[in-house]
């Protein structure tokens, strides 16, 4: 905890899939010595729990049960990274009762970061708007959907997964539409978020721009 403060610094990094927000958030956390939580993994873990029960559509009751039973260890499962899990995650993330059940977990992490870190970075879709509306700095990371689909294809191929661009693009548009239009905590930039478009930026340039913004936010420690 920073001296003279009774709470950790909080940085919210939101944005759509493959916008570069995860890479950026991890890098900022390492640079600033802050704890990091990828909140997408939480929804993915709930989605994966349903898939393991052979569900193809998210049943609200089962999803709520899985959300309540979630433990930290569940977030380490390598299977969480798959695009099929992402689709199910986006479905469970549209269920208001599931989101409500996961709010406390995320806020607790922000208020009491592991290892007593002086700050935290949470990345997701609704961190700056719903989970941590009082965050010290908010960044909304965007990129064109074609750029994001291209990045995802590259990433999948590097992992040895066969990926067809048209299919990846279609999945991404479907997931974006669901995440942006759901009734609870839709993916929208907070009014006071810094907008960072990475369509024509590499990871280094995005990091420099974000760091400059954070430094300008009177976070004496950054
Ligand atoms: O960031 P990701 O691709 O791992 O997220 C998977 C899904 O989880 C995404 O489609 C939307 C949902 N999600 C959410 O609704 N709110 C968050 N804070 C994080 C993720």
């Amino acid at each position: 905890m920073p001296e003279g403060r009774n709470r950790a610094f909080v940085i919210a990094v939101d944005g759509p899939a493959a916008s570069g927000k995860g890479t950026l958030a991890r890098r900022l956390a390492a640079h600033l010595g802050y704890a990091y939580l990828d909140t997408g993994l939480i929804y993915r873990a709930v989605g994966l729990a349903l898939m393991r029960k052979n569900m193809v559509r998210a049943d609200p009751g089962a999803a709520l049960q899985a959300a309540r039973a979630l433990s930290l260890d569940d977030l380490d499962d390598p299977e969480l990274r798959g695009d099929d899990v992402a689709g199910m995650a986006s479905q469970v993330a549209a269920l208001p009762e599931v989101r409500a059940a996961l709010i406390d977990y995320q806020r607790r992490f922000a208020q009491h970061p592991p290892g007593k870190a002086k700050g935290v970075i949470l990345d997701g879709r609704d961190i700056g708007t719903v989970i941590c509306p009082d965050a010290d700095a908010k960044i909304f990371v965007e990129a064109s959907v074609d750029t994001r689909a291209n990045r995802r294809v590259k990433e999948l191929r590097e992992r040895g997964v066969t990926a067809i661009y048209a299919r990846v693009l279609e999945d991404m548009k479907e997931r974006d539409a669901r995440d942006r239009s759901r009734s609870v905590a839709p993916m929208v930039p907070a009014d006071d978020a810094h907008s960072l478009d990475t369509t024509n930026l590499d990871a280094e340039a995005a990091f420099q721009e974000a760091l400059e913004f954070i430094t300008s936010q009177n976070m004496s420690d950054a």
Side-chain angles (χ1 to χ4, degrees):
M1 202 75 64
E3 227 169 277
R5 274 176 69 97
N6 58 5
R7 66 173 185 91
F9 288 107
V10 177
I11 300 178
V13 179
D14 289 301
S19 57
K21 71 177 178 350
T23 306
L24 174 65
R26 262 188 298 274
R27 193 152 165 206
L28 287 170
H31 180 83
L32 299 168
Y34 286 11
Y36 167 62
L37 180 64
D38 172 354
T39 64
L41 285 180
I42 300 173
Y43 295 92
R44 284 172 181 259
V46 176
L48 184 59
L50 299 194
M51 289 167 72
R52 288 191 172 143
K53 291 187 170 159
N54 296 319
M55 286 183 191
V56 282
R57 302 222 60 82
D59 170 74
L64 181 58
Q65 208 179 5
R68 287 185 176 147
L70 198 75
S71 89
L72 249 191
D73 293 346
D74 296 330
L75 306 187
D76 291 332
D77 193 320
E79 271 192 49
L80 294 176
R81 306 278 167 192
D83 272 12
D84 47 348
V85 180
M88 190 59 123
S90 169
Q91 280 189 46
V92 302
L95 300 169
E97 56 275 47
V98 170
R99 301 199 74 86
L102 297 171
I103 285 182
D104 281 353
Y105 177 86
Q106 298 171 75
R107 288 194 180 147
R108 231 178 300 127
F109 185 96
Q111 285 156 5
H112 307 285
K116 297 206 162 84
K118 59 193 170 186
V120 289
I121 302 195
L122 278 75
D123 93 39
R125 304 290 191 286
D126 63 340
I127 306 304
T129 49
V130 175
I131 305 296
C132 302
D134 298 329
D136 298 279
K138 301 178 186 178
I139 301 173
F140 194 87
V141 189
E142 268 283 14
S144 75
V145 72
D146 305 286
T147 303
R148 293 189 287 116
N150 268 315
R151 285 181 190 157
R152 177 69 88 214
V153 167
K154 187 165 171 270
E155 185 195 322
L156 288 168
R157 290 186 181 152
E158 278 169 4
R159 275 199 267 143
V161 179
T162 314
I164 301 162
Y165 175 77
R167 181 73 209 277
V168 171
L169 180 66
E170 195 186 312
D171 281 357
M172 201 162 266
K173 284 183 175 167
E174 191 186 316
R175 190 144 72 96
D176 279 358
R178 192 162 40 216
D179 293 346
R180 285 185 213 271
S181 67
R182 66 183 174 223
S183 59
V184 178
M187 175 178 66
V188 286
D191 289 341
D192 50 351
H194 175 80
S195 174
L196 178 54
D197 187 332
T198 67
T199 306
N200 298 308
L201 294 184
D202 63 15
E204 173 63 25
F207 171 70
Q208 290 305 337
E209 183 178 329
L211 196 57
E212 211 170 291
F213 167 69
I214 289 166
T215 313
S216 74
Q217 290 307 286
N218 289 329
M219 294 171 57
S220 59
D221 211 48

